[in-house]
Amino acid sequence: PQSNHPELACQGGLLLRDSASMFTFGKSGRTVRTRIGLHCGVANVGNFGSSNRVDYTALGENINLASRMEGLNKFLGTDLLITGNLFSKVNGKFVTRYCGRFQLKGFERDVEVHELLAATGQAESFRALRETFTEALARFEKKDFEAAEDGFHRALKLNPEDGPSTFFLKHIAELRAHPPEGEWTGAVELKEK
């Protein structure tokens, strides 16, 4: 048992993300892209299977949620996402950015999502982008799409490759073309893994 396992997981995620970018594919020279999803919870860990095949693995809803977080990176254009559950255990110990609430495939409730950006010593380099994005996302969650679009465009001026801003701009365009039915919660529903 390690009492600081949430912090260790985040440190490990940052190290893996930063190390993976140093590796390239053979002659093509393409950089390895690693996507990481972190969540904290109870899991079943051990040998599972049958008499024909046994696998040492981890199973359970919390493992599935971590896997969905890893997959969500693909949509948001990010590398390292953590759930609100894990964020609550490491808040203030790392530089993070709230990315919204998502209804992930296979889960009934919305999941709060944060991007894990860096160690706390690097907070200032992310301040302007985080503040601009946070304001835009707050407008999105209040269904003020015009102000949200303006904010996400300002975030893209700060970082033209900001995946979450690009994602939300596309999502707003989809919502205008196909308005959501029922009560607006601000959560983004993903139907794919």
Side-chain angles (χ1 to χ4, degrees):
Q2 297 173 309
S3 60
N4 65 338
H5 64 89
E7 295 166 47
L8 293 173
C10 290
Q11 288 171 357
L14 289 169
L15 286 170
L16 176 61
R17 179 199 67 192
D18 296 342
S19 297
S21 65
M22 296 185 304
F23 297 101
T24 57
F25 287 110
K27 295 177 183 178
S28 71
R30 290 189 2 220
T31 303
V32 172
R33 176 89 189 255
T34 300
R35 295 184 176 103
I36 303 162
L38 297 176
H39 176 61
C40 188
V42 176
N44 294 310
V45 180
N47 288 315
F48 296 94
S50 66
S51 58
N52 296 333
R53 183 172 181 264
V54 176
D55 190 21
Y56 184 83
T57 190
L59 300 172
E61 183 177 66
N62 290 312
I63 300 301
N64 291 341
L65 181 51
S67 175
R68 294 293 187 273
M69 294 299 289
E70 183 271 330
L72 182 57
N73 280 295
K74 183 174 39 178
F75 296 97
L76 292 181
T78 52
D79 297 311
L80 180 48
L81 295 175
I82 65 175
T83 61
N85 173 286
L86 182 56
F87 171 78
S88 70
K89 295 171 181 9
V90 299
N91 188 11
K93 297 177 182 174
F94 297 91
V95 181
T96 60
R97 157 169 67 162
Y98 174 61
C99 290
R101 290 177 296 118
F102 290 81
Q103 175 70 48
L104 302 171
K105 185 173 182 176
F107 288 86
E108 290 181 22
R109 293 189 303 188
D110 300 345
V111 177
E112 183 179 307
V113 176
H114 297 262
E115 182 181 14
L116 181 57
L117 297 167
T120 54
Q122 300 171 356
E124 189 57 32
S125 62
F126 294 99
R127 185 182 57 76
L129 178 62
R130 288 173 59 214
E131 289 174 0
T132 303
F133 181 85
T134 298
E135 182 182 324
L137 186 57
R139 295 295 184 182
F140 171 83
E141 290 182 336
K142 290 179 182 172
K143 205 176 179 181
D144 183 355
F145 296 150
E146 195 169 311
E149 277 181 318
D150 180 54
F152 292 130
H153 281 296
R154 282 188 283 120
L156 285 171
K157 284 183 182 173
L158 294 168
N159 177 7
E161 297 178 9
D162 187 48
S165 292
T166 302
F167 171 85
F168 277 101
L169 285 170
K170 288 178 184 173
H171 190 60
I172 289 171
E174 290 172 14
L175 289 171
R176 284 197 170 122
H178 307 286
E181 297 177 12
E183 186 178 337
W184 173 257
T185 65
V188 177
E189 183 180 354
L190 287 182
K191 296 183 178 164
E192 300 176 52
K193 292 182 186 181

